[in-house]
Amino acid sequence: MSPLTSRDLQRIFEKLDMNEDGLVSLEELKWLLDKIGYYEFSPDELESFVGKKNLDLNGFLFFWESISKQNDDNRGPGDDVESDLAEAFKVFDLDGDGFITSPELECVLKKLHLWDDHYGRDCSAMICAYDTNSDGRLDFQEFKNMMLLASSS
């Protein structure tokens, strides 16, 4: 899993907490894990792992840290950052043409419920910030540079 900041995780938690009661249910958590392709837990295993029916923000952060560490511990010698980034790139490259465009980025962010008009996000500006050849889209190398810069900050 790519590193997420505590702010990112808090925003994800807030999006999952649809009824705004300060809790995320196991069903909502399972939905998130399925969306990001983390199929390790069945609903029963997830309940057993979490130990309760709902998580508050601190519980969610602890859970995320636990599965991230578990995922890191299970990496074999052939696994590397490059292959993880290649898989992540494929998620955003919806038409498979080898580039991520502003509409593709917006579409994926909306599917993940990470797009919010309230925050005034502009996918063109997000892409432009890392588009080194100024063609209005990100190739794999530009995407890789963006992700590596984001994870080091």
Side-chain angles (χ1 to χ4, degrees), residues 23-53:
L23 299 171
V24 170
S25 70
L26 291 180
E27 293 80 24
E28 292 164 329
L29 191 58
K30 178 71 174 138
W31 176 87
L32 172 66
L33 293 172
D34 289 345
K35 283 289 185 188
I36 63 172
Y38 198 87
Y39 299 106
E40 187 164 324
F41 295 104
S42 72
D44 291 337
E45 291 170 328
L46 185 59
E47 183 174 354
S48 175
F49 185 80
V50 172
K52 47 186 153 183
K53 298 275 186 196

Side-chain angles (χ1 to χ4, degrees), residues 3-149:
L4 294 171
T5 67
S6 57
R7 172 86 173 115
D8 294 333
L9 291 170
Q10 182 175 356
R11 290 194 61 219
I12 291 168
F13 178 86
E14 290 167 358
K15 291 288 185 183
L16 288 175
D17 181 16
M18 302 261 187
N19 64 357
E20 299 179 353
D21 66 351
L23 299 171
V24 170
S25 70
L26 291 180
E27 293 80 24
E28 292 164 329
L29 191 58
K30 178 71 174 138
W31 176 87
L32 172 66
L33 293 172
D34 289 345
K35 283 289 185 188
I36 63 172
Y38 198 87
Y39 299 106
E40 187 164 324
F41 295 104
S42 72
D44 291 337
E45 291 170 328
L46 185 59
E47 183 174 354
S48 175
F49 185 80
V50 172
K52 47 186 153 183
K53 298 275 186 196
N54 297 297
L55 294 174
D56 61 10
L57 178 58
N58 289 331
F60 177 76
L61 294 174
F62 180 78
F63 171 79
W64 191 263
E65 184 179 313
S66 297
I67 65 168
S68 295
K69 181 175 177 7
Q70 180 182 21
N71 192 47
D72 290 344
D73 291 346
N74 290 334
R75 290 176 109 25
D79 295 332
D80 63 356
V81 173
E82 186 92 14
S83 64
D84 288 347
L85 289 172
E87 289 301 313
F89 184 83
K90 290 177 191 175
V91 170
F92 289 93
D93 180 17
L94 296 176
D95 62 8
D97 67 351
F99 299 97
I100 300 172
T101 63
S102 178
E104 287 173 320
L105 178 59
E106 184 175 338
C107 181
V108 172
L109 291 175
K110 283 181 178 178
K111 284 181 183 177
L112 294 172
H113 300 280
L114 296 174
W115 179 263
D116 190 342
D117 293 325
H118 175 73
Y119 290 102
R121 289 187 178 200
D122 177 8
C123 287
S124 298
M126 292 167 71
I127 285 183
C128 186
Y130 297 97
D131 180 17
T132 56
N133 65 0
S134 301
D135 66 355
R137 56 194 185 169
L138 297 181
D139 60 29
F140 178 70
Q141 188 60 46
E142 292 166 328
F143 175 79
K144 180 178 159 182
N145 292 341
M146 175 185 72
M147 296 304 286
L148 292 174
L149 283 171

